[in-house]
Amino acid sequence: MKITEMFKRRPAAPESAYQPPQPDAGLDRKLAPTLQQRLSDLREMVGNTGDLIVNELAVCGIDCAVVMCEGMVATAVFAELFAEPLTALRLDQPTPEKLLGWVRHQSLLAPDQKEFHTYGDLTRFIMSGFVVLLAEGVEPGLAFGIQGYDGRSVSEPAGESNERGSREGFIEKLRPNLSLVRRRLKSADLTFEMVNFGVKSRTDGALVYLRGAVSPELLEEVRRRLSQVKIDVVLESGYLQPFLDSKPLSIFSGVGYTERPDTLCAKVSEGRIGLLVDGTPYALIVPYLFNEHFQSFDDYAHRPYFATFIRWLKYAAFLFSFLLPGLYVGLGSFHPELLPKNLLLKLAQSEAVTPLPLMFEALLIFFIYEIMREAGLRMPKSVGHAVSIVGALVIGDAAVTAGLIGAPMVLLVAMTAISSFVVPSLYEPVTLLRFGFILIGGIAGLFGIVLALCAVLANLCAINPLGVPATSPAAPFSLYAMRDVLFRVGWKTLSQEDLRIQGLTGSDLKGEDADGE
Amino acid sequence: MENKPRMISGSQLVFLLLISRLFTLFTFVPRARTAASGSTALLCIPLAGIAVGILLLPSLLLFRRTQTGLLDCAFQVGSGYGLLVSLLFGAFCLYMAAFTVSHFSFFMTSVVYPNSTPWVFVILLTLAAGYAASLGLEAFSRMSVWVFSLLLLLLVLFLCALLPEANMVYLTSPLLDGTPAVGKGIFYTAVNHAEAVALLLLLPRARRAGGRTVAGWLVLTVLAYELLSFLTLTVLGDYAKTRIFPLHTLSSLTQLSGFGRLDLLHITLWIFAAFLRMTVYLYCAAVCLRRMLPNLRFGRACACCAAVSGVWALMTAQGMRFWNQAAEQIWTVAAPFLLLAVAAPLATLLFTSLGQSPTGKGNGK
């Protein structure tokens, strides 16, 4: 590129040949007037799929069809609450309108009952596990929510265990997840706004927020961003995360996640928005501040001084997890004079017999550790012990005995690995940063490490998830919000003033001059 | 929502400029003929702070009247004048960026990495600062809060460790060298407040900024300068005059029970300060460049400024002859300060007042 071209306006991007995913054809068409035509259209739309069940029957002499998806409906409930009352129904001078009126006003075939008029809704309800009733001579179809597909029951969250709080975690099914939240927040302000993602998958989701607490501007922005999701298939909430993130290429994310309904409730009550997606046992939370990675539900059950101690422990563990190996390499390679004499002698003694320079030794052992971690995560549980044995004996013991790796380096790996699991939500950035800091420490020593730390800090400070600075309330400073950052004050103080995400200094979710410095 | 430029707080601006200013204390070379030394310096520092406050009055008055930045006002006066002011400010910011990185690499190659060449430090620091500048003002101004915390920690540790070592015998009468020496010291210290130029460019981006922000910056700078100079003088005494970096010597001598030597902390803070200072000046230079070339994207403007200052530093860092000569000629330091921080705002204020009716816009708060 010529230098002069840098100063010219960038031309508009050429039209791409890529066509965004298109929804299935004919979804917005109205239902056909005759039952047979509707069934024929439906079969054509779903391509005679094998799991479509169509039961044609006459109710009081009126031709009807009960349509459902195999394996998606609770069979016993269907038989008892739906099939039996419908087949036993007797109407005087039956007409399709009378049948519809009976279903609408005189029966309760299912608590969740919806009317629809288009093929799009028809297929969506069927594929979501509803039982659909179509009758000859009446336009709307009726959908009954008696889903009963198999799934995991509510169990303890695997990634966010705690000592004293609830043992319930989100599961893959959306509706039970909504009930887990509702049970904890019985406020009339709690709203579940149903949304749909994926042009083909049409995955159900729910925005969770507390009216009165959430900023309307924030809500509008989240809706706007989610409306821009043009993906064929959404199988996991992680697919949506980049659309909510303000700087998707940043090391840190402004979108948090939790598998605990109580944590989601706490966040929602602070004016944040949760997003539950069918098929994902995690809720996304926006906006998510950096200090929240260090908060856990137990903090609020413990006494303040212990909670504060744990909080500091987590900060230290976070710093250890990405800085310690780099510092060890940097100080050992470039600034041994800065280490205490006895420690230096011990390190020199063990490193004198190893063939690799410190930086390569560290890179090698952390690379092996990441391979073992990944293998342990993906492989069947039954062979997990083998990986542990290989890791502990072959890498840990044999490599040191053979003089390939120094014993302090093994100790460092152990400390760093354990520390990185103290704040599991930051594991991804920490792992990458660790390698980066080892490299820069080995190349430029302490100077490189501090400079890289500057760049990482600047990167973190540049994140403004949905208009709220990620480093808030420390920078920009909000005194009242700091009560739960470095120290966790007692509940008597915490309860004096509610924290609202839009009330933090530097937040864009309010008037220009509404913040206090 | 997240793409619109944000305002920073007045305190963040104060921290940013304070850290940037303290960098010059780290690079303080007592043998420079123009610098006041010893007890005279202790007297000159607060008086210079007051002098800078007075010299900045036209800028504050201009800001109070128009509530816009100096560059905006200059362009309102006339596009030619605006371009000239942008060019002068931009060139000065590039000069200061190159100065910062050169001095920093000189320190690193003199003290921390004696076997290295300066270009490694120049390139790495320029890259990192260019990246940070491209992230925007709010990113590195928020970062300044963390660095300020580190600075406070260092000051407290210094005080704890060094106060028992302080020897008041080194304190003499500040007027021992005569009144002209004091006057010269005040002048030299005042015109060394190059951050005043950055302040003029950044002031419009700070919420509720004005006289209090400037006063806060000057007071904190004077306090930090006074404290560190006092410790250097009373602990090192005449030995300080023989050292290239007295503050580093001071930190190397410091032993604080379990904490050990403090030079590691000092070097860390030094790198942070150099990074922030370089970033501030690159950002300001990029702002000026974009005023001259509005179609240029900000990221590219930062890259251009980083490249120019990096090349400048690479050409001058080896041997430091250029910078030493510049430091010894008082007018090479004083002229840019007086021109940009005093004369340019004063001229703009006059032009603005002449071209505006008394009921015109911008009556201030």
Side-chain angles (χ1 to χ4, degrees):
Chain A
M1 189 172 70
K2 289 178 185 172
I3 290 176
T4 50
E5 285 176 15
M6 280 176 64
F7 300 97
K8 288 181 184 166
R9 241 181 221 293
R10 201 166 49 154
E15 288 279 328
S16 169
Y18 172 74
Q19 292 293 319
Q22 300 295 320
D24 296 336
L27 286 180
D28 51 351
R29 261 196 305 148
K30 287 251 179 200
L31 292 175
T34 65
L35 178 64
Q36 286 310 316
Q37 185 61 42
R38 287 180 201 175
L39 295 177
S40 161
D41 289 345
L42 175 65
R43 287 194 180 102
E44 193 185 327
M45 286 180 82
V46 300
N48 271 325
T49 177
D51 58 345
L52 183 74
I53 298 175
V54 180
N55 290 306
E56 293 186 51
L57 69 161
V59 179
C60 303
I62 301 162
D63 287 339
C64 294
V66 177
V67 189
M68 66 189 94
C69 230
E70 190 176 359
M72 302 276 281
V73 174
T75 319
V77 180
F78 169 72
E80 192 176 338
L81 290 183
F82 187 88
E84 270 185 32
L86 203 64
T87 49
L89 178 65
R90 297 288 175 267
L91 292 171
D92 289 337
Q93 297 174 339
T95 61
E97 288 75 22
K98 270 192 176 175
L99 175 64
L100 191 68
W102 179 83
V103 174
R104 275 176 178 163
H105 307 299
Q106 290 172 272
S107 69
L108 194 64
L109 300 180
D112 186 9
Q113 193 169 306
K114 291 188 172 75
E115 271 189 27
F116 58 90
H117 298 266
T118 62
Y119 283 106
D121 286 339
L122 170 65
T123 49
R124 185 166 62 85
F125 281 127
I126 294 171
M127 304 307 170
S128 302
F130 281 68
V131 171
V132 165
L133 178 67
L134 299 169
E136 184 71 63
V138 282
E139 197 221 9
L142 294 165
F144 304 90
I146 37 181
Q147 295 98 322
Y149 34 80
D150 289 335
R152 194 164 60 91
S153 55
V154 174
S155 56
E156 188 169 357
E160 287 177 78
S161 302
N162 69 349
E163 276 182 78
R164 291 178 55 178
S166 152
R167 298 285 191 268
E168 287 181 330
F170 286 126
I171 56 170
E172 286 74 11
K173 289 189 274 190
L174 179 64
R175 305 283 163 172
N177 287 347
L178 300 185
S179 72
L180 288 174
V181 178
R182 175 65 72 186
R183 260 177 40 212
R184 288 166 172 81
L185 265 179
K186 297 182 182 72
S187 162
D189 283 342
L190 178 67
T191 306
F192 298 114
E193 187 177 314
M194 303 310 290
V195 281
N196 214 263
F197 306 104
V199 178
K200 296 286 183 196
S201 66
R202 287 189 278 169
T203 311
D204 289 323
L207 286 176
V208 187
Y209 55 86
L210 205 60
R211 274 178 293 116
V214 71
S215 148
E217 204 182 344
L218 173 67
L219 189 57
E220 200 48 50
E221 179 67 11
V222 170
R223 283 180 187 143
R224 188 187 68 76
R225 291 189 184 198
L226 289 178
S227 71
Q228 291 174 340
V229 178
K230 304 280 185 235
I231 304 180
D232 255 4
V233 176
V234 174
L235 300 175
E236 215 266 325
S237 59
Y239 288 37
L240 308 172
Q241 195 165 334
F243 293 90
L244 294 169
D245 243 330
S246 300
K247 284 189 186 290
L249 296 178
S250 174
I251 307 168
F252 300 97
S253 173
V255 182
Y257 61 86
T258 181
E259 52 181 328
R260 298 188 63 88
D262 39 22
T263 302
L264 179 62
C265 289
K267 301 296 177 197
V268 161
S269 65
E270 289 176 351
R272 286 171 235 260
I273 298 175
L275 174 62
L276 286 160
V277 176
D278 196 29
T280 309
Y282 287 91
L284 297 183
I285 299 166
V286 284
Y288 202 72
L289 309 181
F290 184 68
N291 76 74
E292 290 175 88
H293 291 290
F294 303 92
Q295 296 171 346
S296 63
F297 206 73
D298 269 339
D299 291 356
Y300 306 94
H302 290 309
R303 295 178 70 77
Y305 56 82
F306 186 69
T308 302
F309 170 70
I310 295 294
R311 189 74 54 90
W312 279 90
L313 211 64
K314 285 180 187 170
Y315 289 127
F318 169 68
L319 288 176
F320 274 1
S321 60
F322 75 93
L323 267 183
L324 202 60
L327 268 178
Y328 176 70
V329 170
L331 292 181
S333 307
F334 289 89
H335 320 279
E337 76 281 0
L338 293 174
L339 295 170
K341 196 171 66 183
N342 290 340
L343 177 65
L344 178 64
L345 289 175
K346 291 270 183 203
L347 296 181
Q349 193 181 5
S350 64
E351 293 301 331
V353 293
T354 59
L356 295 171
L358 264 183
M359 183 181 83
F360 290 106
E361 197 182 319
L363 284 175
L364 178 71
I365 195 153
F366 277 103
F367 188 65
I368 292 170
Y369 161 71
E370 287 301 326
I371 289 175
M372 288 198 302
R373 189 195 63 82
E374 194 63 19
L377 197 68
R378 310 283 165 213
M379 72 193 324
K381 293 273 183 287
S382 52
V383 285
H385 293 298
V387 174
S388 308
I389 292 166
V390 168
L393 292 183
V394 177
I395 308 296
D397 192 37
V400 174
T401 313
L404 294 173
I405 292 165
M409 188 62 84
V410 177
L411 184 68
L412 196 76
V413 173
M415 277 179 68
T416 310
I418 292 168
S419 298
S420 63
F421 289 114
V422 174
V423 190
S425 55
L426 284 172
Y427 189 84
E428 289 172 34
V430 155
T431 304
L432 294 178
L433 286 176
R434 189 188 302 142
F435 279 102
F437 274 93
I438 292 172
L439 264 175
I440 197 79
I443 293 168
L446 182 66
F447 161 70
I449 289 171
V450 178
L451 205 59
L453 194 61
C454 288
V456 171
L457 259 178
N459 181 280
L460 174 63
C461 291
I463 305 173
N464 293 294
L466 293 150
V468 184
T471 47
S472 187
F477 190 72
S478 289
L479 182 63
Y480 92 109
M482 284 299 285
R483 63 201 177 157
D484 195 16
V485 178
L486 295 177
F487 306 95
R488 205 282 276 168
V489 300
W491 267 110
K492 284 181 182 171
T493 313
L494 276 180
S495 60
Q496 279 172 5
E497 191 180 357
D498 286 339
L499 187 138
R500 290 281 181 273
I501 196 77
Q502 60 268 34
L504 294 173
T505 307
S507 166
D508 288 343
L509 305 171
K510 57 185 173 181
E512 177 79 6
D513 294 321
D515 55 53
E517 275 180 47
Chain B
M1 180 186 279
E2 73 284 353
N3 291 326
K4 65 181 180 186
R6 283 181 181 74
M7 304 289 278
I8 62 169
S9 69
S11 51
Q12 283 174 357
L13 182 60
V14 168
F15 296 153
L16 203 59
L17 297 175
L18 169 70
I19 293 157
S20 183
R21 176 82 187 105
L22 283 186
F23 178 84
T24 54
L25 186 64
F26 297 146
T27 53
F28 173 70
V29 182
R31 281 174 297 182
R33 281 197 294 265
T34 46
S37 57
S39 303
T40 311
L42 293 181
L43 178 66
C44 292
I45 290 166
L47 295 177
I50 295 168
V52 171
I54 293 167
L55 289 172
L56 286 177
L57 280 177
S59 316
L60 288 172
L61 197 61
L62 179 70
F63 182 66
R64 194 180 166 84
R65 279 183 65 125
T66 61
Q67 286 298 298
T68 53
L70 179 69
L71 296 185
D72 286 320
C73 294
F75 274 98
Q76 279 168 14
V77 169
S79 57
Y81 180 67
L83 282 173
L84 177 69
V85 171
S86 300
L87 182 68
L88 289 173
F89 272 78
F92 180 73
C93 290
L94 285 178
Y95 170 85
M96 289 308 295
F99 169 89
T100 304
V101 72
S102 300
H103 270 77
F104 176 74
S105 63
F106 177 59
F107 166 72
M108 294 305 269
T109 48
S110 307
V111 176
V112 189
Y113 300 84
N115 299 323
S116 296
T117 51
W119 63 266
V120 179
F121 305 102
V122 171
I123 289 174
L124 286 177
L125 185 60
T126 306
L127 280 176
Y131 166 71
S134 71
L135 290 174
L137 175 63
E138 73 269 17
F140 59 86
S141 61
R142 283 176 201 159
M143 192 188 149
S144 68
V145 178
W146 308 100
V147 183
F148 179 72
S149 311
L150 189 69
L151 174 73
L152 280 184
L153 175 72
L154 184 79
L155 285 178
V156 169
L157 291 178
F158 261 33
L159 271 178
C160 296
L162 294 175
L163 269 184
E165 307 291 325
N167 193 343
M168 299 302 163
V169 78
Y170 294 117
L171 287 178
T172 55
S173 166
L175 300 173
L176 199 65
D177 294 335
T179 322
V182 176
K184 194 179 169 188
I186 292 170
F187 181 71
Y188 181 80
T189 312
V191 296
N192 253 311
H193 282 71
E195 281 65 35
V197 176
L199 173 82
L200 296 185
L201 294 172
L202 299 180
L203 206 57
R205 286 287 305 276
R207 255 190 316 264
R208 300 192 203 104
R212 280 187 188 177
T213 308
V214 177
W217 167 57
L218 287 172
V219 168
L220 281 179
T221 305
V222 165
L223 283 176
Y225 244 79
E226 195 75 19
L227 180 69
L228 290 171
S229 301
F230 172 78
L231 287 175
T232 310
L233 181 67
T234 53
V235 175
L236 293 183
D238 291 338
Y239 180 59
K241 291 178 184 169
T242 65
R243 309 303 301 164
I244 307 176
F245 303 106
L247 206 60
H248 176 68
T249 309
L250 195 67
S251 64
S252 308
L253 295 175
T254 310
Q255 290 278 349
L256 194 65
S257 59
F259 289 96
R261 280 162 53 176
L262 292 182
D263 48 351
L264 182 64
L265 196 58
H266 174 259
I267 293 167
T268 305
L269 186 69
W270 181 294
I271 299 169
F272 270 119
F275 171 81
L276 270 181
R277 188 174 211 240
M278 177 87 179
T279 307
V280 167
Y281 283 114
L282 282 184
Y283 175 83
C284 290
V287 166
C288 295
L289 184 59
R290 281 199 76 209
R291 284 300 177 131
M292 292 184 277
L293 302 166
N295 288 339
L296 185 65
R297 285 196 293 171
F298 189 71
R300 288 182 179 180
C302 289
C304 289
C305 295
V308 171
S309 64
V311 170
W312 192 341
L314 279 175
M315 288 163 59
T316 52
Q318 194 80 47
M320 296 293 286
R321 191 181 299 163
F322 173 80
W323 302 107
N324 288 339
Q325 282 173 352
E328 298 218 346
Q329 301 296 321
I330 193 162
W331 286 106
T332 58
V333 181
F337 175 84
L338 294 174
L339 176 68
L340 299 175
V342 184
L346 194 61
T348 312
L349 181 65
L350 286 173
F351 287 139
T352 311
S353 304
L354 289 174
Q356 200 178 50
S357 65
T359 54
K361 62 180 177 178
N363 274 332
K365 289 178 188 175

